[in-house]
Amino acid sequence: YLCQWQGWSSFLLTIFLFAMLCMEPILHCMQDNDGYLFTEHCEEGEQLLFPYSVMSTAAMLVYFLLLSDLSVFSTRVSAFALICTRVVSEVALFLFGLTFFVCAFACAVSALEQDD
């Protein structure tokens, strides 16, 4: 099960969803809800809003990563996904080369004699 990336991603998604359930602000505000039903704005809930949103973001990214595996059902979408993966590696190489060139030029300019 955990030998393929889909298995690891699914397991990671399960962990994120369980952590989200444990940190759910609405569940922590059940006792101290100030008369409002299903509120997340209590003292305990306010402390958990940011960690909960981080877990929610991570879970959504993993979910869409797993959803990208469905591209095999359409030939056009599958070809587009294949091209995107090939192009992303080329763009990363270009950005690395550009960063190297900018750093080299910045070091060369800083080594010039300056009359301030």
Side-chain angles (χ1 to χ4, degrees):
Y1 176 72
L2 296 177
C3 294
Q4 298 175 346
W5 71 269
Q6 293 95 344
W8 275 105
S9 299
S10 180
F11 182 67
L12 192 61
L13 181 63
T14 304
I15 290 173
F16 283 143
L17 291 176
F18 184 72
M20 284 174 59
L21 177 67
C22 292
M23 287 190 293
E24 177 66 47
I26 293 175
L27 295 178
H28 288 274
C29 290
M30 286 293 216
Q31 300 295 327
D32 183 28
N33 58 8
D34 294 329
Y36 295 108
L37 186 62
F38 300 125
T39 184
E40 58 198 25
H41 298 290
C42 66
E43 187 175 330
E44 295 174 10
E46 292 287 335
Q47 295 173 355
L48 293 173
L49 281 177
F50 182 72
Y52 180 78
S53 67
V54 169
M55 285 294 164
S56 176
T57 303
M60 191 62 65
L61 289 174
V62 172
Y63 179 73
F64 274 97
L65 177 71
L66 284 170
L67 193 64
S68 70
D69 192 39
L70 292 177
S71 67
V72 298
F73 290 121
S74 171
T75 306
R76 286 185 180 176
V77 175
S78 180
F80 178 74
L82 182 64
I83 294 298
C84 285
T85 56
R86 300 294 181 197
V87 169
V88 165
S89 66
E90 295 296 325
V91 169
L93 283 173
F94 168 75
L95 289 176
F96 176 72
L98 182 67
T99 304
F100 181 79
F101 177 73
V102 167
C103 288
F105 186 73
C107 289
V109 167
S110 70
L112 288 175
E113 173 107 21
Q114 299 175 6
D115 294 327
D116 287 345

